[in-house]
Amino acid sequence: MISSSDQSRDILTARPPRTGVWPAFVSFGAVIAAQAYAILTSPAEGDMGHLQKIMYVHVPAAWMTFLSFFVVLVFSVRYLWRRRENDDLIAASAAEVGATFNGLTLMLGMIWGRPAWGVWWVWDARLTSTLVLFLIFVGYLALRAFTDDAQQKARWSAAVGAIGALNVPIVYMSVKWWRTLHQPPSSPATLDPRYTMGLRLNAIALLLVMIYFIRRRYEIARLERAVEHMAEAAAMGGQ
Amino acid sequence: MITAASNLNFIIAAYTVTWIVLLGYSLRLVRKGGRARADYERIAQQRSGEKSQ
């Protein structure tokens, strides 16, 4: 079994990340290709016309929000169980990326809502629960920013992250549990096949971006933690 | 009144916002990574300097 002191030593010996730029090019290239495919091949939808094209960015952004917060849940629980710093850093990285996608989902939803519903915002169950999810993870990031003690920061944020991520099923089910202006979730069975491929490709492309973001953010967090450990060791007499 | 032309504006706005967020976050990572790497190198050099003295 690896002790937390072994883990600290592991982080202490971290070297600057060597990840090249190719994952960024691949993932962003995939997004450009997927968006071009979806925009060029999808016909105007019966009710919404070409406004339907917003779905190719809004829906995958929402899925990446859910996935990122699932990563937060898994690694927060792992941290609370094993107390390894790496788990805390992965959870924190996924939380930042998830909050970014969550904010993007809300903005895209508003841009969609104005022409489709006639309003930028409505206190509908889906929109409100998504906003609550966003605020929980903004609070999570603020908690980390304002807590100095690394172990306390990790413990508290693991608790907030795990509880916050439990809001994801509420967001997902909100359109089924309550009567909402937001439409219920689509599935391949309910979606016109002409739109399915574009949506899938955009989801896969954004998944690549999400993985790249979390990986990159984790490498930076690990480096920052290594600097903290080295500075602490220097302050204690250069151990 | 929402027209087909204004729908196009909303579509352009949605894709523009998406790219601003994706590229903005990438830029944040590049800057944050650069700062973290510089801090690491500085402290690592200090430590190696202290050990050699």
Side-chain angles (χ1 to χ4, degrees):
Chain A
M1 186 181 159
I2 300 167
S3 70
S4 62
S5 60
D6 291 336
Q7 189 62 26
S8 296
R9 267 201 299 279
D10 180 32
I11 286 188
L12 194 63
T13 56
R15 289 288 177 270
R18 296 274 178 226
T19 302
V21 291
W22 68 266
F25 280 114
V26 168
S27 54
F28 281 92
V31 174
I32 291 169
Q35 287 184 354
Y37 174 85
I39 289 169
L40 296 174
T41 63
S42 64
E45 201 264 345
D47 293 327
M48 297 183 280
H50 286 293
L51 203 59
Q52 166 272 341
K53 288 176 172 52
I54 295 179
M55 290 300 105
Y56 297 121
V57 280
H58 175 63
V59 175
W63 287 346
M64 295 316 123
T65 304
F66 292 166
L67 263 178
S68 300
F69 291 151
F70 180 69
V71 174
V72 176
L73 174 66
V74 169
F75 284 92
S76 294
V77 170
R78 257 170 68 121
Y79 176 79
L80 291 172
W81 187 14
R82 306 191 312 175
R83 305 282 164 155
R84 291 180 61 174
E85 274 190 298
N86 266 355
D87 293 334
D88 169 55
L89 298 181
I90 295 170
S93 304
E96 189 178 289
V97 173
T100 305
F101 279 118
N102 198 343
L104 177 62
T105 305
L106 284 168
M107 284 191 285
L108 293 173
M110 288 167 73
I111 293 170
W112 153 266
R114 181 69 185 86
W117 301 336
V119 286
W120 292 102
W121 182 265
V122 60
W123 293 101
D124 159 278
R126 168 58 71 86
L127 276 67
T128 307
S129 57
T130 308
L131 178 64
V132 168
L133 186 66
F134 179 65
L135 294 176
I136 287 172
F137 280 94
V138 168
Y140 173 102
L141 296 172
L143 173 74
R144 292 190 71 86
F146 294 112
T147 310
D148 287 331
D149 183 87
Q151 286 193 341
Q152 197 176 49
K153 179 196 291 190
R155 244 190 348 264
W156 286 0
S157 51
V160 173
I163 294 167
L166 293 178
N167 194 30
V168 168
I170 296 174
V171 175
Y172 183 78
M173 295 303 288
S174 60
V175 287
K176 294 182 177 177
W177 288 344
W178 296 285
R179 184 179 295 181
T180 60
L181 193 55
H182 194 285
Q183 62 266 44
S186 300
S187 71
T190 60
L191 194 65
D192 187 320
R194 290 174 299 172
Y195 306 115
T196 314
M197 182 54 81
L199 193 57
R200 280 184 182 155
L201 288 176
N202 276 279
I204 292 167
L206 218 55
L207 176 67
L208 294 177
V209 173
M210 187 200 84
I211 292 169
Y212 165 67
F213 278 169
I214 293 178
R215 186 185 158 86
R216 197 75 192 93
R217 186 65 188 87
Y218 165 67
E219 286 173 350
I220 295 166
R222 207 181 136 99
L223 202 56
E224 288 170 337
R225 189 58 61 86
V227 170
E228 282 171 23
H229 280 305
M230 288 160 78
E232 277 170 19
M236 289 173 69
Q239 292 158 25
Chain B
M1 186 183 153
I2 305 294
T3 62
S6 67
N7 272 357
L8 182 65
N9 290 338
F10 285 108
I11 295 165
I12 291 169
Y15 281 84
T16 305
V17 165
T18 301
W19 279 101
I20 287 173
V21 170
L22 295 182
L23 294 177
Y25 190 70
S26 300
L27 191 64
R28 174 183 152 79
L29 291 181
V30 168
R31 285 183 176 170
K32 214 170 165 54
R35 270 200 305 272
R37 206 172 300 120
D39 285 346
Y40 182 90
E41 298 297 348
R42 183 173 48 79
I43 293 188
Q45 273 181 5
Q46 277 175 5
R47 279 167 64 95
S48 63
E50 283 165 10
K51 279 180 185 169
S52 65
Q53 280 172 9

